[in-house]
Amino acid sequence: MSIIRIQGITKIYQLGDEEVHALRGIDLEINQNEYLAIMGPSGSGKSTLMHILGCLDVPTSGLYDFEGRNIAEMDGNELAEIRNQKIGFVFQNFNLLSQSSAYENVELPLVYAGMSSGKRSNRVMEVINQVGLTDRADHKPNQLSGGQRQRVAIARAMVNKPSIILADEPTGNLDSKTSYEIMKLIKDIHDLGNTIIMVTHEEDIARFCHRIVRLRDGVILSDTKQVPENVPV
Amino acid sequence: MFLFRLFNSVNLSIRSLFSNLMRSGLTLLGIIIGVSTVIAVISIVNGMNDYVAEKIAVMGPGVFFVEKFGIVRGREDWLKRMRWKNLSINEYEALSKQMMEAEAVAAMLSRSRRITYKDLYISSTSVRGATANYLSVSEIAVEDGRFFTEFEEQRRAHIVVIGSDIKKALFEDVDPIDKIIDIGGVKYKIIGVFETAGSVLGNSQDNFVVIPLKTYLVYYSGLYRRSSWTIGIKIKDPDRMFEAQEEARSILRRVRKIPSNKEDDFSFISPEAVMNFFEEFSGIAFIVLIGISSISLVVGGIVIMNIMLVSVTERTKEIGIRKAIGAKRGDILMQFLIESVLLSLFGGLAGVIAGYLLSQAVAHFSPLPSAVKPWTVFLGVAVASSVGLFFGIYPAWKASKLDPIIALSYEH
């Protein structure tokens, strides 16, 4: 069943007098429980595509159908609601709130969803437990290692039970051992039935995915399925 | 859900304010100064109003005075009144004979003289010559001894009733009754002592003596032509103050032969008139000082706006993160708005405390009284939070408008 259907998406930025064509017509269909890597060199448009997929930005033209709703026609508040309910973000530099504990960081999407504090605490502890940080819940980000921070970010991405998890270079700031641990965690989350879209430029990371979409100069170069390798942990 | 989000935002805001205590404190200086001035000014003006009202009550109900000068409002007014004819025995006699509304009509004149008892003296005391019914127009009572009689006044007796300051200064361990004192070279026997009236704005009301008017006219007559009489009128029905003043007015105009097209050339002083005048005066003081404190409130507000703008810039990344995980514009707007309201609310509370201490200090070290009313506390806090709300709108709006992608990629 398809979650995301994209047709003829373009994105044009105005950079001074110059028009930058970041995306020049992208067609893409992503199904439930896929594990997809979007790859490409810098300037290929993969970040732009990621932003549009994540409803942080809207395309200049084209159709973006997310679970039957046209994203291109939504206003800021509707997009915020989609981001809150349907999408979980994992970033390269973790993007945690430095003043808040791991628990509070994971809790935040539920706060914006308007869930009561009693219901929140159960759900928050459930996902924190799932990423293996139960005993670190009250630590601030600066008291956690890089791998632990990314686990907090993954917990935050999952806490609202989103339709897709969008990971932007999730291992970009981690050493290879920690990277594999994180990839193993993401694989486990995928195995539970989640849909995962990952942006990366590392072939070493992309080999754990089921499908690889390669971009160059704002168009799709190739879209291939593969048998994923096991994460060596 | 809204309340719940509000609570959450308040929580977040307090955390961020306390993480920057020094900066928050400096930011709030303007608000603190503004609010404390407002509180102090209101307290002092209130205190003076209470005080004057209390002092005026000393005049007693149903009493008013006729004077040449009355309440002078500025130099022009004073120059005009200077040219008016003095009030004299003619006005006094006309009023005491003709006025139907009056229960008693008293007259008095006064001068400053040196008072001596043995080797002790007071260099300047108000010497009042008064008619024997003086006590019916004055609220002050005789505490020891007695006042003089009509008969004693008629025979120009050398007797005196002294204010409590005189007793304190000249008769520390001695009973003053029947002692002889010297007032400007003339000897008088003390027959009574007044109770203590206290002081008005630091001026003692007890440094005076009262002698019979006719005695006064004998010994200080070289001067009486130049001084105008004060006539005190106690009316029969305190509710008919207006009618009584109208009656006195028509008698006085007849005696003084004022043509009907000319205005009065004399003044009435009643408790109401003094209170009205004082309220008018304190109203002006109030407006001026509130004006000054509004300036510091506006400056304080601008400082808050500035610091909130800095805070928005510093926390651009945080705003980006919040937006990425689903914060709506309203959520961000609310967070920053609450933060600036809370910030200035703390300033308001600090200002209320500072203003309270300030007004207490003023009351303690100066003759100005002070009364802090509970509602001024609410006023201070309300004013401060409104300033925070108003000057927080722009920074909060700016924060809410940030593009999440740009905010997320912001590095400082």
Side-chain angles (χ1 to χ4, degrees), chain B residues 5-19:
Chain B
R5 281 193 180 201
L6 192 72
F7 173 75
N8 193 67
S9 307
V10 168
N11 202 359
L12 286 170
S13 307
I14 289 178
R15 216 181 293 161
S16 118
L17 291 179
F18 274 90
S19 64

Side-chain angles (χ1 to χ4, degrees), chain A residues 95-101 105 139-143, chain B residues 318 321:
Chain A
N95 279 345
L96 299 174
L97 298 186
S98 56
Q99 302 289 326
S100 305
S101 67
N105 268 287
H139 286 45
K140 295 260 171 80
N142 60 8
Q143 298 167 310
Chain B
E318 177 195 324
I321 295 169

Side-chain angles (χ1 to χ4, degrees), chain A residues 81 83-84 95 112 120, chain B residues 4-5 322-323 325 328:
Chain A
E81 212 168 299
R83 290 198 294 271
N84 184 245
N95 279 345
Y112 288 126
R120 286 198 312 246
Chain B
F4 158 74
R5 281 193 180 201
R322 287 176 183 276
K323 286 200 153 187
I325 62 174
K328 294 179 180 163

